[in-house]
Amino acid sequence: ATPAARLVRTAAPAAETRDAVRRFLTDGTVASEVLEDEEAWLFRGTVFVDYIALEVEVRVFEAGDGSLVAISHTSARDAVRFASLVEKARATLRSRGLKVEQGAPAPTSVLMEFDDDLIDDMEESWAARIEAVLAGAADAGSREETWQTLALWGEQHVECRSDLARALIAGGPGASAAAAALRGPAPIAELYPMVAAMRFASLDLDGAADPALARLLTATEHLPKLVARQLREVRRQLLTLA
């Protein structure tokens, strides 16, 4: 298999392996928006690792007494995170009772470690850091990275959430950018990390949400299911604060 395609071998029948792959991709183990072609035993769509969108295809084949799972990285944008996704799939199938052939360990993400070191060395307040990153939301070329950064900060640094809430939900500089993305709608590669950042921010919101943004939280029919689920969590959290 090439770096953009990995094979996972199991000793289970193909139908059992396909069911396990389906659960892995759709039960919340990974953040994903995928479609299934039942006749082709194929899953195709977007899976997020560290809030970065990976376009993938996953196909299950019969292979002797067992089966073979071919996982292709169709966007070929991040080999490190794709390798991490494959190893997570392998570990999840094994944890669910399938006998899975051992694979090579996934490489460590140097980028994520570097980002944490940078945060430790920064002297600016969280409000200033968030404001600086949010400036990237105005540029189409940097929006994905903007929302990815804020989602990771919201997940990993509880102390930033109140400032994130003020900037992103309570009418700060990010509220209008978020509203525009939801109305668009923006691509899922931007939307999912954005709403994930909003979900973390909503856990520490002191005050009311921006009215225009709050209205958009109920209009989810045009959004990907993954994004709509996250927005429901944001709305539910805001209702507990009302």
Side-chain angles (χ1 to χ4, degrees):
T2 68
R6 299 292 182 91
L7 301 177
V8 176
R9 298 180 184 274
T10 83
E16 182 181 347
T17 299
R18 180 185 59 174
D19 290 344
V21 169
R22 181 189 297 116
R23 291 196 302 273
F24 169 71
L25 291 172
T26 62
D27 69 359
T29 301
V30 291
S32 65
E33 185 83 7
V34 298
L35 296 175
E36 180 180 1
D37 182 337
E38 294 187 11
E39 291 186 3
W41 291 35
L42 171 69
F43 303 86
R44 179 185 292 115
T46 306
V47 180
F48 287 86
V49 179
D50 297 333
Y51 303 102
I52 292 174
L54 307 179
E55 300 301 320
V56 301
E57 289 185 358
V58 184
R59 190 186 293 266
V60 180
F61 301 92
E62 293 182 351
D65 293 333
S67 54
L68 191 66
V69 183
I71 307 176
S72 301
H73 184 199
T74 56
S75 57
R77 64 183 300 180
D78 193 319
V80 170
R81 288 180 175 83
F82 176 63
S84 174
L85 172 66
V86 172
E87 290 311 307
K88 186 168 187 176
R90 197 187 303 272
T92 300
L93 296 182
R94 187 178 294 113
S95 73
R96 293 175 179 177
L98 275 68
K99 185 177 180 181
V100 179
E101 183 179 283
Q102 183 64 41
T108 300
S109 171
V110 175
L111 176 61
M112 297 309 301
E113 294 178 351
F114 182 64
D115 283 348
D116 286 343
D117 290 342
L118 276 179
I119 289 173
D120 291 340
D121 293 340
M122 289 174 71
E123 297 180 356
E124 294 91 341
S125 66
W126 276 112
R129 302 177 204 179
I130 291 167
E131 182 179 0
V133 170
L134 271 171
D139 179 4
S142 59
R143 282 181 195 137
E144 279 189 41
E145 186 176 356
T146 293
W147 300 125
Q148 290 160 5
T149 299
L150 295 178
L152 281 169
W153 284 356
E155 177 184 357
Q156 298 175 356
H157 301 278
V158 175
E159 66 275 16
C160 85
R161 291 177 181 172
S162 59
D163 290 307
L164 188 58
R166 282 188 285 272
L168 194 53
I169 298 179
S176 58
L182 291 172
R183 280 192 294 263
I188 191 172
E190 297 176 18
L191 280 176
Y192 173 67
M194 183 193 78
V195 297
M198 292 172 62
R199 182 170 62 84
F200 291 120
S202 70
L203 298 173
D204 207 351
L205 177 65
D206 182 13
D210 176 79
L213 180 60
R215 286 192 294 271
L216 289 171
L217 298 182
T218 62
T220 61
E221 297 82 4
H222 64 303
L223 297 173
K225 293 179 181 178
L226 174 64
V227 174
R229 285 196 298 271
Q230 291 286 311
L231 283 180
R232 285 195 292 271
E233 291 297 321
V234 174
R235 188 166 68 247
R236 185 177 298 114
Q237 180 62 25
L238 294 181
L239 287 174
T240 66
L241 301 173

